[in-house]
PDB file of all heavy atoms in Angstrom:
ATOM      1  N   LYS A  75     -14.880  14.294 -16.479  1.00  0.00           N
ATOM      2  CA  LYS A  75     -16.261  14.896 -16.328  1.00  0.00           C
ATOM      3  C   LYS A  75     -16.423  15.432 -14.829  1.00  0.00           C
ATOM      4  O   LYS A  75     -17.022  16.439 -14.739  1.00  0.00           O
ATOM      5  CB  LYS A  75     -17.283  13.792 -16.573  1.00  0.00           C
ATOM      6  CG  LYS A  75     -18.739  14.295 -16.497  1.00  0.00           C
ATOM      7  CD  LYS A  75     -19.621  12.969 -16.765  1.00  0.00           C
ATOM      8  CE  LYS A  75     -21.090  13.434 -16.513  1.00  0.00           C
ATOM      9  NZ  LYS A  75     -22.036  12.383 -16.756  1.00  0.00           N
ATOM     10  N   TRP A  76     -15.812  14.800 -13.832  1.00  0.00           N
ATOM     11  CA  TRP A  76     -15.806  15.184 -12.571  1.00  0.00           C
ATOM     12  C   TRP A  76     -15.099  16.477 -12.338  1.00  0.00           C
ATOM     13  O   TRP A  76     -15.597  17.404 -11.681  1.00  0.00           O
ATOM     14  CB  TRP A  76     -15.269  14.114 -11.579  1.00  0.00           C
ATOM     15  CG  TRP A  76     -15.269  14.508 -10.067  1.00  0.00           C
ATOM     16  CD1 TRP A  76     -14.211  15.025  -9.385  1.00  0.00           C
ATOM     17  CD2 TRP A  76     -16.438  14.435  -9.216  1.00  0.00           C
ATOM     18  NE1 TRP A  76     -14.651  15.227  -8.107  1.00  0.00           N
ATOM     19  CE2 TRP A  76     -15.956  14.923  -7.994  1.00  0.00           C
ATOM     20  CE3 TRP A  76     -17.730  14.066  -9.418  1.00  0.00           C
ATOM     21  CZ2 TRP A  76     -16.838  15.016  -6.783  1.00  0.00           C
ATOM     22  CZ3 TRP A  76     -18.582  14.129  -8.278  1.00  0.00           C
ATOM     23  CH2 TRP A  76     -18.169  14.542  -6.986  1.00  0.00           C
ATOM     24  N   TRP A  77     -13.976  16.581 -12.949  1.00  0.00           N
ATOM     25  CA  TRP A  77     -13.211  17.888 -12.918  1.00  0.00           C
ATOM     26  C   TRP A  77     -13.995  19.092 -13.453  1.00  0.00           C
ATOM     27  O   TRP A  77     -14.065  20.137 -12.776  1.00  0.00           O
ATOM     28  CB  TRP A  77     -11.896  17.785 -13.716  1.00  0.00           C
ATOM     29  CG  TRP A  77     -10.768  16.949 -13.105  1.00  0.00           C
ATOM     30  CD1 TRP A  77     -10.766  16.425 -11.892  1.00  0.00           C
ATOM     31  CD2 TRP A  77      -9.627  16.510 -13.741  1.00  0.00           C
ATOM     32  NE1 TRP A  77      -9.609  15.697 -11.685  1.00  0.00           N
ATOM     33  CE2 TRP A  77      -8.831  15.766 -12.898  1.00  0.00           C
ATOM     34  CE3 TRP A  77      -9.149  16.803 -15.080  1.00  0.00           C
ATOM     35  CZ2 TRP A  77      -7.638  15.255 -13.142  1.00  0.00           C
ATOM     36  CZ3 TRP A  77      -7.886  16.159 -15.359  1.00  0.00           C
ATOM     37  CH2 TRP A  77      -7.182  15.427 -14.425  1.00  0.00           C
ATOM     38  N   THR A  78     -14.654  18.777 -14.644  1.00  0.00           N
ATOM     39  CA  THR A  78     -15.447  19.891 -15.077  1.00  0.00           C
ATOM     40  C   THR A  78     -16.638  20.223 -14.218  1.00  0.00           C
ATOM     41  O   THR A  78     -17.012  21.373 -14.024  1.00  0.00           O
ATOM     42  CB  THR A  78     -16.022  19.459 -16.548  1.00  0.00           C
ATOM     43  OG1 THR A  78     -14.938  19.164 -17.368  1.00  0.00           O
ATOM     44  CG2 THR A  78     -16.931  20.534 -17.086  1.00  0.00           C
ATOM     45  N   TYR A  79     -17.321  19.245 -13.527  1.00  0.00           N
ATOM     46  CA  TYR A  79     -18.320  19.459 -12.584  1.00  0.00           C
ATOM     47  C   TYR A  79     -17.911  20.222 -11.331  1.00  0.00           C
ATOM     48  O   TYR A  79     -18.615  20.985 -10.755  1.00  0.00           O
ATOM     49  CB  TYR A  79     -18.914  17.978 -12.169  1.00  0.00           C
ATOM     50  CG  TYR A  79     -19.987  17.969 -11.179  1.00  0.00           C
ATOM     51  CD1 TYR A  79     -21.135  18.717 -11.383  1.00  0.00           C
ATOM     52  CD2 TYR A  79     -19.829  17.223 -10.023  1.00  0.00           C
ATOM     53  CE1 TYR A  79     -22.187  18.570 -10.511  1.00  0.00           C
ATOM     54  CE2 TYR A  79     -20.913  17.116  -9.161  1.00  0.00           C
ATOM     55  CZ  TYR A  79     -21.968  17.852  -9.339  1.00  0.00           C
ATOM     56  OH  TYR A  79     -23.025  17.732  -8.437  1.00  0.00           O
ATOM     57  N   MET A  80     -16.647  20.038 -10.942  1.00  0.00           N
ATOM     58  CA  MET A  80     -16.195  20.631  -9.716  1.00  0.00           C
ATOM     59  C   MET A  80     -15.369  22.048  -9.877  1.00  0.00           C
ATOM     60  O   MET A  80     -15.138  22.713  -8.962  1.00  0.00           O
ATOM     61  CB  MET A  80     -15.135  19.627  -9.008  1.00  0.00           C
ATOM     62  CG  MET A  80     -15.856  18.383  -8.585  1.00  0.00           C
ATOM     63  SD  MET A  80     -17.208  18.655  -7.391  1.00  0.00           S
ATOM     64  CE  MET A  80     -16.244  19.205  -5.912  1.00  0.00           C
ATOM     65  N   LYS A  81     -15.128  22.393 -11.148  1.00  0.00           N
ATOM     66  CA  LYS A  81     -14.224  23.514 -11.332  1.00  0.00           C
ATOM     67  C   LYS A  81     -14.839  24.827 -10.875  1.00  0.00           C
ATOM     68  O   LYS A  81     -14.079  25.793 -10.507  1.00  0.00           O
ATOM     69  CB  LYS A  81     -13.882  23.582 -12.890  1.00  0.00           C
ATOM     70  CG  LYS A  81     -15.005  24.075 -13.687  1.00  0.00           C
ATOM     71  CD  LYS A  81     -14.552  24.199 -15.198  1.00  0.00           C
ATOM     72  CE  LYS A  81     -15.555  24.628 -16.113  1.00  0.00           C
ATOM     73  NZ  LYS A  81     -15.100  24.751 -17.492  1.00  0.00           N
ATOM     74  N   ASP A  82     -16.086  24.966 -10.650  1.00  0.00           N
ATOM     75  CA  ASP A  82     -16.686  26.273 -10.158  1.00  0.00           C
ATOM     76  C   ASP A  82     -16.459  26.348  -8.666  1.00  0.00           C
ATOM     77  O   ASP A  82     -16.779  27.453  -8.112  1.00  0.00           O
ATOM     78  CB  ASP A  82     -18.154  26.339 -10.535  1.00  0.00           C
ATOM     79  CG  ASP A  82     -19.062  25.157  -9.940  1.00  0.00           C
ATOM     80  OD1 ASP A  82     -18.579  24.058  -9.873  1.00  0.00           O
ATOM     81  OD2 ASP A  82     -20.242  25.507  -9.503  1.00  0.00           O
ATOM     82  N   LEU A  83     -15.927  25.325  -7.957  1.00  0.00           N
ATOM     83  CA  LEU A  83     -15.837  25.301  -6.519  1.00  0.00           C
ATOM     84  C   LEU A  83     -14.431  25.464  -6.023  1.00  0.00           C
ATOM     85  O   LEU A  83     -14.146  25.730  -4.889  1.00  0.00           O
ATOM     86  CB  LEU A  83     -16.422  24.025  -5.941  1.00  0.00           C
ATOM     87  CG  LEU A  83     -17.888  23.714  -6.221  1.00  0.00           C
ATOM     88  CD1 LEU A  83     -18.262  22.395  -5.552  1.00  0.00           C
ATOM     89  CD2 LEU A  83     -18.713  24.883  -5.812  1.00  0.00           C
ATOM     90  N   MET A  84     -13.439  25.273  -6.947  1.00  0.00           N
ATOM     91  CA  MET A  84     -12.004  25.254  -6.563  1.00  0.00           C
ATOM     92  C   MET A  84     -11.171  25.725  -7.644  1.00  0.00           C
ATOM     93  O   MET A  84     -11.488  25.819  -8.792  1.00  0.00           O
ATOM     94  CB  MET A  84     -11.619  23.815  -6.067  1.00  0.00           C
ATOM     95  CG  MET A  84     -11.856  22.749  -7.172  1.00  0.00           C
ATOM     96  SD  MET A  84     -11.813  21.061  -6.562  1.00  0.00           S
ATOM     97  CE  MET A  84     -10.402  21.026  -5.574  1.00  0.00           C
ATOM     98  N   GLU A  85      -9.857  26.146  -7.152  1.00  0.00           N
ATOM     99  CA  GLU A  85      -8.886  26.487  -8.046  1.00  0.00           C
ATOM    100  C   GLU A  85      -8.574  25.346  -9.052  1.00  0.00           C
ATOM    101  O   GLU A  85      -8.361  24.244  -8.584  1.00  0.00           O
ATOM    102  CB  GLU A  85      -7.609  26.919  -7.370  1.00  0.00           C
ATOM    103  CG  GLU A  85      -7.822  28.203  -6.645  1.00  0.00           C
ATOM    104  CD  GLU A  85      -6.594  28.737  -5.944  1.00  0.00           C
ATOM    105  OE1 GLU A  85      -5.409  28.265  -6.338  1.00  0.00           O
ATOM    106  OE2 GLU A  85      -6.680  29.519  -5.019  1.00  0.00           O
ATOM    107  N   THR A  86      -8.511  25.530 -10.302  1.00  0.00           N
ATOM    108  CA  THR A  86      -8.297  24.616 -11.308  1.00  0.00           C
ATOM    109  C   THR A  86      -7.203  25.030 -12.323  1.00  0.00           C
ATOM    110  O   THR A  86      -6.978  26.240 -12.502  1.00  0.00           O
ATOM    111  CB  THR A  86      -9.532  24.177 -12.005  1.00  0.00           C
ATOM    112  OG1 THR A  86     -10.091  25.342 -12.670  1.00  0.00           O
ATOM    113  CG2 THR A  86     -10.474  23.530 -11.133  1.00  0.00           C
ATOM    114  N   ASN A  87      -6.724  24.071 -13.044  1.00  0.00           N
ATOM    115  CA  ASN A  87      -5.765  24.265 -14.128  1.00  0.00           C
ATOM    116  C   ASN A  87      -6.568  24.487 -15.415  1.00  0.00           C
ATOM    117  O   ASN A  87      -7.772  24.216 -15.420  1.00  0.00           O
ATOM    118  CB  ASN A  87      -4.817  23.122 -14.258  1.00  0.00           C
ATOM    119  CG  ASN A  87      -3.935  22.888 -13.068  1.00  0.00           C
ATOM    120  OD1 ASN A  87      -3.127  23.900 -12.767  1.00  0.00           O
ATOM    121  ND2 ASN A  87      -3.994  21.828 -12.456  1.00  0.00           N
ATOM    122  N   PRO A  88      -5.894  24.852 -16.588  1.00  0.00           N
ATOM    123  CA  PRO A  88      -6.677  25.071 -17.852  1.00  0.00           C
ATOM    124  C   PRO A  88      -7.384  23.742 -18.255  1.00  0.00           C
ATOM    125  O   PRO A  88      -8.443  23.846 -18.952  1.00  0.00           O
ATOM    126  CB  PRO A  88      -5.508  25.383 -18.814  1.00  0.00           C
ATOM    127  CG  PRO A  88      -4.484  26.094 -17.988  1.00  0.00           C
ATOM    128  CD  PRO A  88      -4.528  25.358 -16.664  1.00  0.00           C
ATOM    129  N   ASP A  89      -6.950  22.592 -17.947  1.00  0.00           N
ATOM    130  CA  ASP A  89      -7.670  21.251 -18.202  1.00  0.00           C
ATOM    131  C   ASP A  89      -8.790  20.967 -17.193  1.00  0.00           C
ATOM    132  O   ASP A  89      -9.237  19.882 -17.251  1.00  0.00           O
ATOM    133  CB  ASP A  89      -6.698  20.196 -18.486  1.00  0.00           C
ATOM    134  CG  ASP A  89      -6.024  19.790 -17.145  1.00  0.00           C
ATOM    135  OD1 ASP A  89      -6.148  20.429 -16.084  1.00  0.00           O
ATOM    136  OD2 ASP A  89      -5.231  18.793 -17.207  1.00  0.00           O
ATOM    137  N   ASP A  90      -9.050  21.841 -16.336  1.00  0.00           N
ATOM    138  CA  ASP A  90     -10.178  21.682 -15.357  1.00  0.00           C
ATOM    139  C   ASP A  90      -9.646  20.872 -14.062  1.00  0.00           C
ATOM    140  O   ASP A  90     -10.417  20.632 -13.194  1.00  0.00           O
ATOM    141  CB  ASP A  90     -11.405  21.158 -15.896  1.00  0.00           C
ATOM    142  CG  ASP A  90     -12.155  22.134 -16.811  1.00  0.00           C
ATOM    143  OD1 ASP A  90     -11.802  23.296 -16.689  1.00  0.00           O
ATOM    144  OD2 ASP A  90     -12.934  21.556 -17.605  1.00  0.00           O
ATOM    145  N   SER A  91      -8.424  20.296 -14.115  1.00  0.00           N
ATOM    146  CA  SER A  91      -7.872  19.530 -13.018  1.00  0.00           C
ATOM    147  C   SER A  91      -7.748  20.487 -11.866  1.00  0.00           C
ATOM    148  O   SER A  91      -7.363  21.638 -12.091  1.00  0.00           O
ATOM    149  CB  SER A  91      -6.643  18.771 -13.402  1.00  0.00           C
ATOM    150  OG  SER A  91      -5.546  19.678 -13.664  1.00  0.00           O
ATOM    151  N   PRO A  92      -7.952  19.954 -10.636  1.00  0.00           N
ATOM    152  CA  PRO A  92      -7.746  20.863  -9.472  1.00  0.00           C
ATOM    153  C   PRO A  92      -6.172  21.269  -9.440  1.00  0.00           C
ATOM    154  O   PRO A  92      -5.312  20.365  -9.674  1.00  0.00           O
ATOM    155  CB  PRO A  92      -8.068  20.031  -8.215  1.00  0.00           C
ATOM    156  CG  PRO A  92      -8.771  18.816  -8.862  1.00  0.00           C
ATOM    157  CD  PRO A  92      -8.380  18.641 -10.293  1.00  0.00           C
ATOM    158  N   VAL A  93      -5.914  22.502  -9.129  1.00  0.00           N
ATOM    159  CA  VAL A  93      -4.554  22.856  -8.699  1.00  0.00           C
ATOM    160  C   VAL A  93      -4.215  22.123  -7.514  1.00  0.00           C
ATOM    161  O   VAL A  93      -4.949  22.265  -6.407  1.00  0.00           O
ATOM    162  CB  VAL A  93      -4.458  24.342  -8.555  1.00  0.00           C
ATOM    163  CG1 VAL A  93      -3.018  24.765  -8.037  1.00  0.00           C
ATOM    164  CG2 VAL A  93      -4.750  25.149  -9.752  1.00  0.00           C
TER     165      VAL A  93
END
Side-chain angles (χ1 to χ4, degrees):
K75 182 179 175 182
W76 181 259
W77 286 349
T78 300
Y79 179 57
M80 297 300 291
K81 72 179 181 179
D82 62 322
L83 302 179
M84 59 195 309
E85 291 182 18
T86 58
N87 295 302
D89 67 354
D90 295 337
S91 65
V93 172

